[in-house]
Amino acid sequence: MNISLAGAQDKRLEKANAAYSKFAFIEAIKLYEAQISKGNTTMEVYTKLGDSYYYNGNYAQAANAYSHIMNSSNSVNSEYYFRYAQALNSSQNYKRAEAVMKEYYKRAGKIDSSDKWNESKLLAAIKEQSGRYTINPSTEVNTPFSDFGTAFYGKDKVIYASAKDTGVIIKRKHNWNEKSFLKLYSADIAVDGGLQNPVVIKGNVNTKYHQSTPAITKDGKTMYFTRNNYTDGKLETDKEGTSYLNIYVAENVKGEWTNIKKLAYPINSDGFSSAHPALSADESELYFVSDRNNKFGNSDIYVASLKKGGFVGNDVKKLGDEINTLGRESYPFVDAAGVLYFSSDGHPGLGGLDVFAAIKDGDGKYHVVNLGEEINSNADDFGYIIQEDTKKGYFSSNRTGNDDIYSFTEHKPVVFDFNINPVVFGTLKYISGPPIEGIAVEIYNSENVLVNTIYSNIDGKYTADLEPYKEYKLVYKKKGLTEKTQIAPQFKPAEKREYSFEFSNELEVIVNGETKEITDGSDLNHILNLNPIYFDYNGFKIRESSKVELDKVVALLKERPSLLLTVNSHTDSRGRDEFNMKLSENRAKSTVDYIVAHGIDASRVSGKGYGETRLINRCSNGVNCTEAEHQLNRRSEFIIHIDK
C-alpha cells in the first residue's frame, strides 16, 4: 500500500472513530463497514463496529462483529465476552450465549454462573413469572414519535416523556447523549387504567432540549427528572461537544412546575451522566442511573439518602453485583412493598432490555427475577411502574418498532425464591414465668381495621406474616389477663421483629414490687398509691402535676378492659353549697374527659360530683381551717367496678 493510500485510510478510520466517540453510531457503522470492505479487519474496527451495533440495539449484527475478535488474540478484554454473550442472548442464540458466558467467567476469574444463561433454565424461570398480566397499548397518548417513561402523579394522573413536538421521528437511544428533545406531559388515568387527555405540563420544566423520566413525591409537591445539562438558558457541553444528562428537581407551585434546580455533586458532575431518578417506598432514598466510572459506557443503578425538604445526601452508593452487571441497568422504580423494578440487558432475558424485579432478603442481599412474558419481549422493555392498591401500572417498549407506553393489570404477584413478607413474632408468658397458650393477637392496619387474629401456642409463641412498609397495631388479649397494645412502626421487606410480653391476672397489680388485689369498689388512689388529684381554688382545670397520676389510671384501664371506673369529685366547704355542687360536677367531667381523651372508651368511665357533701375532715361551713386542710377536700376518687 502506498503512503498516500495508507494516509487516506487512516483519515477514514479517524473519521469513524470520531463518529463513534460522539455516539453517532449509525454513521460509525457505515464507516467501519467501509473499512472492513477495504481490508481493514483489525480488532479495533470489529470491536467498535460491534459496539456501534450493540448500542443501537442491533444485537444480531453486534454478535456477528464480536465473533471476529473472540479467539483472535488473548488480549481481548474479558468484558467483551460478556457483551458478546449479551448479544447472542438477545438474538435467542442461548446455547452459544451460555458457552461464551462460561468463557467470560473463566477469563475474568469469577465464580462460574453461566448456568443462569442455560436455555432450558432461563426459559423455565421466565415461564414461571409469565401469565400474570393483561396489557394494552395506551393508544390515546402514543404517537408515531417516542413516548415513554411514566411516573405516577397522585392517584389519577401520570407524567411521561414524548418527542411528538419535534416534528421528526427520533427514537430513544441507549447512549447517554440523548438528543430526542423530549418534553414532559401529563395524562389522566382512566377507570380501566388507560391514559387520556395528554397535555404539556405547566411551568418551566420543559426546554428546547431533553426532559424525561420523572419521579414525583406522594404529596405531588416535588418532582425529580432527567434533563440535558441545561442551566440558565445555556446547554453545557464538554470539549468534544457532548452534553451529559443530569438530574434536576422542580417544585409544584399552584399546579405549575417551577423553581428548577440541578442536583449537586455527587449526583451530577462533569464527565458522566446521571438520569432516571426513582424514590424509595418511604421516600427516604433516591435511586438513579449513571455511567460514572464505567469505561464500557454502560449504566449502573445507584442510591443516595434523601433528607426532608428534598435534600440529597452525599452517601451515593452503587448497588451490588446482584443488580448491576457489565450490561446496562436502567429505569429503576420502587413499589409500595419495597420491590425494586429495573431494566437490564446484562441479566439473561428475552432480548434487549428486559424488566426485572428485585428485593432484599433478611441478609440484605438482592434476589432478582425476570418479570416474564407479556411485560418482556425480544425488544427493549423498560420504565415499569405499578400502583399497590389497584395493581395497575405502565411500562414502555419498542416491540412494535417505536417507543410506546402500555398499561397493564397484574393478576398475581411476582414470585421470589423466599418469603418477602416481614414477620412479627414473640413469646407471651406470665410474670411468674410459665408460657400462656391461647392469647389472641389482634392485628390492626393503619386505618384501625382488624386484618388478622392469631393465637399463642402451647409454648406461648406466636408468629404472623405482615405486609412491608405498613404500620400496624397489635392487641394481645385473653379473658382474665391484662391486655397489651403494641404500636408497630413500618416493617421493611423480610424483616423479622420480636414483641414479647409478660402478663398478670387482670385483678392484680404490682406497685413498687408489691402485688395488690383489685376488688369491686376499690379506690385506685389506694391501689396505685396515687398522689391526690388537686384542682385550683374555685376551678376545674386539672393541674399539670396531676396529669402524671391520671396517666397511671389510664394505663391500668388499658391493660384491663373488663374494669369500669367511676370518678367521684369533691370540693371544700368554702363558697355556696349549690356553687360547690356545680364545681364538683365540672371537676368530675374534666377528669373523665381527660381519661377518655387518652384512649379509654367513654362507656367505661363515668363521673359524679358531690360538692361539699362528703368532707373528710372537720372543715365544714364556718370552721376555721388552714389552706392545706381545705385542699384535702378538693379531691377525686377512682372507684373500680368489675364488668361481669
Side-chain angles (χ1 to χ4, degrees):
M1 181 183 298
N2 62 46
I3 295 176
S4 61
L5 190 60
Q9 185 158 320
D10 287 343
K11 288 183 178 180
R12 284 193 288 269
L13 181 58
E14 288 178 5
K15 187 177 180 182
N17 289 340
Y20 178 89
S21 66
K22 292 181 179 179
F23 309 112
F25 296 122
I26 298 297
E27 180 183 357
I29 287 170
K30 294 177 181 178
L31 294 170
Y32 287 129
E33 290 283 17
Q35 285 286 298
I36 291 172
S37 68
K38 294 181 182 301
N40 186 352
T41 58
T42 62
M43 182 182 297
E44 178 189 13
V45 169
Y46 273 118
T47 297
K48 290 183 176 178
L49 175 63
D51 286 347
S52 298
Y53 279 123
Y54 174 86
Y55 284 125
N56 213 46
N58 191 331
Y59 300 107
Q61 292 289 359
N64 180 60
Y66 290 144
S67 69
H68 287 275
I69 66 170
M70 281 301 102
N71 295 308
S72 62
S73 169
N74 290 328
S75 63
V76 175
N77 192 313
S78 62
E79 295 183 9
Y80 271 104
Y81 282 84
F82 188 96
R83 188 167 290 185
Y84 182 31
Q86 281 181 274
L88 290 166
N89 176 265
S90 294
S91 304
Q92 288 78 54
N93 191 344
Y94 299 114
K95 187 174 182 179
R96 178 62 178 149
E98 181 184 5
V100 174
M101 281 303 298
K102 182 177 286 291
E103 183 65 19
Y104 160 73
Y105 287 116
K106 177 182 176 182
R107 287 174 175 261
K110 296 184 177 181
I111 297 174
D112 187 356
S113 300
S114 58
D115 61 324
K116 294 180 181 178
W117 299 70
N118 176 269
E119 179 175 4
S120 58
K121 186 174 182 178
L122 168 61
L123 296 182
I126 290 175
K127 183 178 180 181
E128 181 182 4
Q129 303 293 342
S130 300
R132 301 185 298 109
Y133 295 94
T134 299
I135 71 168
N136 291 291
S138 299
T139 53
E140 288 200 38
V141 298
N142 290 329
T143 68
F145 309 94
S146 193
D147 308 285
F148 69 95
T150 47
F152 290 117
Y153 179 24
K155 286 288 186 181
D156 56 1
K157 290 181 181 292
V158 300
I159 293 180
Y160 69 100
S162 177
K164 65 182 180 179
D165 283 343
T166 63
V168 294
I169 299 177
I170 305 175
K171 292 183 174 61
R172 169 197 51 86
K173 301 297 182 185
H174 280 308
N175 67 70
W176 289 83
N177 190 27
E178 299 183 69
K179 296 180 179 178
S180 303
F181 306 115
L182 297 154
K183 289 184 179 180
L184 293 178
Y185 291 75
S186 70
D188 298 328
I189 299 176
V191 175
D192 62 359
L195 298 177
Q196 57 190 13
N197 306 323
V199 293
V200 176
I201 65 171
K202 296 180 180 179
N204 56 351
V205 166
N206 288 318
T207 68
K208 62 181 180 180
Y209 294 104
H210 167 84
Q211 290 76 214
S212 73
T213 53
I216 305 152
T217 54
K218 293 184 182 71
D219 62 12
K221 295 180 179 179
T222 305
M223 176 172 67
Y224 301 87
F225 65 99
T226 305
R227 178 194 274 179
N228 286 108
N229 190 4
Y230 183 80
T231 306
D232 297 329
K234 182 180 179 182
L235 182 68
E236 301 289 341
T237 63
D238 65 9
K239 62 182 181 180
E240 303 296 331
T242 300
S243 174
Y244 294 99
L245 298 179
N246 286 175
I247 297 174
Y248 289 74
V249 62
E251 181 183 355
N252 190 334
V253 179
K254 297 180 179 179
E256 294 192 6
W257 293 103
T258 185
N259 299 333
I260 315 299
K261 296 178 182 178
K262 182 169 71 173
L263 297 185
Y265 180 86
I267 302 297
N268 298 314
S269 185
D270 295 334
F272 60 76
S273 285
S274 296
H276 310 325
L279 297 168
S280 62
D282 59 1
E283 298 186 349
S284 68
E285 294 178 312
L286 179 72
Y287 290 80
F288 66 99
V289 178
S290 181
D291 63 348
R292 65 188 70 193
N293 302 319
N294 200 325
K295 64 182 180 181
F296 265 62
N298 294 331
S299 54
D300 294 310
I301 299 175
Y302 292 76
V303 65
S305 63
L306 197 58
K307 316 297 183 184
K308 287 186 177 180
F311 297 102
V312 182
N314 292 324
D315 53 345
V316 169
K317 180 176 66 176
K318 180 180 175 182
L319 299 189
D321 292 343
E322 314 101 272
I323 301 294
N324 290 316
T325 69
L326 292 176
R328 294 165 289 205
E329 279 69 49
S330 196
Y331 298 99
F333 171 78
V334 183
D335 72 8
V339 177
L340 169 65
Y341 298 89
F342 65 99
S343 290
S344 172
D345 60 9
H347 291 272
L350 293 174
L353 292 172
D354 273 18
V355 181
F356 295 83
I359 197 166
K360 290 181 180 179
D361 60 20
D363 298 323
K365 181 181 178 181
Y366 276 108
H367 293 236
V368 179
V369 296
N370 186 297
L371 282 193
E373 295 174 333
E374 295 96 46
I375 298 298
N376 290 320
S377 66
N378 62 0
D380 285 339
D381 306 292
F382 56 98
Y384 180 102
I385 63 173
I386 186 171
Q387 285 181 322
E388 174 66 21
D389 51 352
T390 65
K391 298 301 179 184
K392 296 184 184 296
Y394 306 91
F395 73 100
S396 306
S397 178
N398 64 357
R399 61 187 61 186
T400 61
N402 190 43
D403 291 331
D404 285 324
I405 297 170
Y406 293 78
S407 64
F408 68 79
T409 301
E410 182 189 63
H411 303 294
K412 294 189 298 183
V414 61
V415 179
F416 290 94
D417 58 359
F418 72 103
N419 182 13
I420 74 168
N421 289 330
V423 174
V424 62
F425 68 98
T427 302
L428 310 177
K429 59 183 182 180
Y430 291 104
I431 290 178
S432 58
I436 308 174
E437 181 181 8
I439 290 185
V441 183
E442 297 178 345
I443 303 174
Y444 295 83
N445 62 19
S446 58
E447 286 75 42
N448 206 35
V449 175
L450 180 65
V451 294
N452 194 12
T453 301
I454 58 174
Y455 296 87
S456 59
N457 63 18
I458 193 172
D459 297 316
K461 298 184 182 300
Y462 73 95
T463 183
D465 282 3
L466 304 175
E467 294 185 41
Y469 291 107
K470 292 189 176 180
E471 296 177 353
Y472 292 91
K473 180 178 75 174
L474 309 177
V475 179
Y476 304 79
K477 59 173 61 173
K478 184 177 183 180
K479 188 173 179 60
L481 296 181
T482 53
E483 185 175 296
K484 305 286 187 183
T485 297
Q486 175 65 56
I487 302 301
Q490 286 187 356
F491 289 77
K492 294 181 179 179
E495 178 184 354
K496 293 178 174 56
R497 190 185 301 175
E498 179 181 6
Y499 290 122
S500 295
F501 296 101
E502 294 181 339
F503 296 80
S504 61
N505 186 307
E506 190 175 23
L507 299 182
E508 292 180 347
V509 61
I510 299 175
V511 181
N512 298 327
E514 179 185 357
T515 300
K516 296 185 177 183
E517 183 179 358
I518 300 173
T519 59
D520 197 77
S522 297
D523 185 349
L524 292 184
N525 281 304
H526 308 305
I527 297 290
L528 299 179
N529 297 337
L530 297 177
N531 293 316
I533 307 298
Y534 289 130
F535 298 89
D536 294 331
Y537 176 61
N538 279 352
F540 51 87
K541 182 179 180 181
I542 299 169
R543 291 182 181 177
E544 285 297 322
S545 60
S546 293
K547 291 180 180 179
V548 176
E549 305 305 305
L550 289 179
D551 289 342
K552 296 176 184 178
V553 175
V554 170
L556 182 137
L557 293 176
K558 282 184 175 179
E559 289 191 346
R560 295 162 173 81
S562 68
L563 300 186
L564 308 179
L565 181 70
T566 297
V567 178
N568 296 331
S569 182
H570 306 271
T571 69
D572 61 35
S573 62
R574 292 175 295 182
R576 291 181 292 111
D577 291 359
E578 60 271 23
F579 173 81
N580 285 337
M581 183 62 71
K582 183 64 176 177
L583 180 63
S584 66
E585 290 173 353
N586 286 335
R587 287 175 174 174
K589 183 178 185 304
S590 293
T591 305
V592 169
D593 288 347
Y594 182 92
I595 293 171
V596 171
H598 285 74
I600 304 304
D601 192 283
S603 64
R604 297 176 58 197
V605 191
S606 61
K608 184 173 177 60
Y610 289 91
E612 57 182 273
T613 63
R614 294 186 178 184
L615 302 177
I616 61 174
N617 57 21
R618 64 184 180 86
C619 300
S620 59
N621 289 335
V623 177
N624 187 23
C625 291
T626 66
E627 174 61 27
E629 288 176 311
H630 282 302
Q631 184 166 267
L632 291 175
N633 288 314
R634 298 197 301 271
R635 71 195 188 278
S636 292
E637 297 167 337
F638 302 93
I639 307 303
I640 287 295
H641 306 285
I642 300 173
D643 185 9
K644 299 178 181 180

